[in-house]
């Protein structure tokens, strides 16, 4: 497997729609960006940060998320999630993630992922 190094970054963005709200996701009853969608966006940024350097057959899987969802984002606003790979410990990857709504930090935290062989991972998951 290829060695990954700290410093890789990526950004992904989302324009909040009704489908992204806490109401739609079942995580609350308000029409603002739901925390589960914020977590998914943060993870998408971590995937994007490593995707371009992984070898064929490699992927990463999420193992831990620590996220502070600090401010509400209404439907129609665009949020940007940025991930920075800060630590590589064998196959374990640690990212610092920030989600911004304009200049406002809507969420921030840490995501851990593990580098795996895609085929073996799926095979093990489906035969367990």
């Amino acid at each position: 497997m290829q060695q990954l190094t700290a410093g890789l970054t990526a950004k992904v963005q989302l324009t909040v729609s009704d489908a992204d709200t806490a109401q739609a996701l079942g995580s609350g009853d308000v029409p603002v960006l739901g925390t589960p969608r914020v977590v998914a966006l943060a993870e998408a940024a971590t995937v994007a940060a490593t995707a371009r350097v992984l070898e064929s057959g490699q992927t990463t899987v999420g193992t831990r998320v620590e996220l502070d969802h600090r401010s509400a984002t209404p439907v129609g606003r665009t949020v940007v999630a940025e991930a920075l790979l800060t630590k590589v410990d064998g196959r374990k990857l640690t990212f610092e993630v920030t989600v911004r709504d304009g200049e406002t930090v809507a969420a921030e935290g840490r995501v851990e992922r593990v580098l795996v062989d895609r085929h073996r991972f799926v095979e093990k998951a489906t035969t367990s």
Side-chain angles (χ1 to χ4, degrees):
M1 292 187 179
Q2 179 176 339
Q3 292 293 320
L4 298 172
T5 56
L8 295 174
T9 65
K11 292 181 182 181
V12 296
Q13 69 178 34
L14 169 76
T15 300
V16 180
S17 72
D18 290 333
D20 302 310
T21 65
Q23 284 176 324
L25 297 169
S27 66
D29 64 1
V30 289
V32 298
L33 180 61
T35 302
R37 190 65 181 98
V38 173
V39 170
L41 189 64
E43 285 202 291
T46 66
V47 170
T50 59
R52 63 188 178 275
V53 298
L54 295 180
E55 294 176 4
S56 177
Q58 290 181 321
T59 193
T60 62
V61 294
T63 57
R64 184 176 178 86
V65 176
E66 298 175 31
L67 195 71
D68 293 323
H69 193 174
R70 300 185 183 278
S71 68
T73 304
V75 170
R77 297 279 301 179
T78 298
V79 291
V80 177
E82 182 173 11
L84 168 65
L85 179 58
T86 58
K87 184 177 178 185
V88 178
D89 183 9
R91 296 184 312 124
K92 180 179 166 185
L93 310 175
T94 303
F95 297 85
E96 294 297 325
V97 181
T98 305
V99 180
R100 287 188 171 80
D101 173 2
E103 295 299 313
T104 301
V105 174
E108 62 186 345
R110 181 181 4 256
V111 175
E112 293 178 2
R113 301 186 70 79
V114 174
L115 184 64
V116 298
D117 177 278
R118 179 182 288 109
H119 176 75
R120 281 188 288 199
F121 182 84
V122 172
E123 185 176 89
K124 184 177 179 182
T126 58
T127 59
S128 295

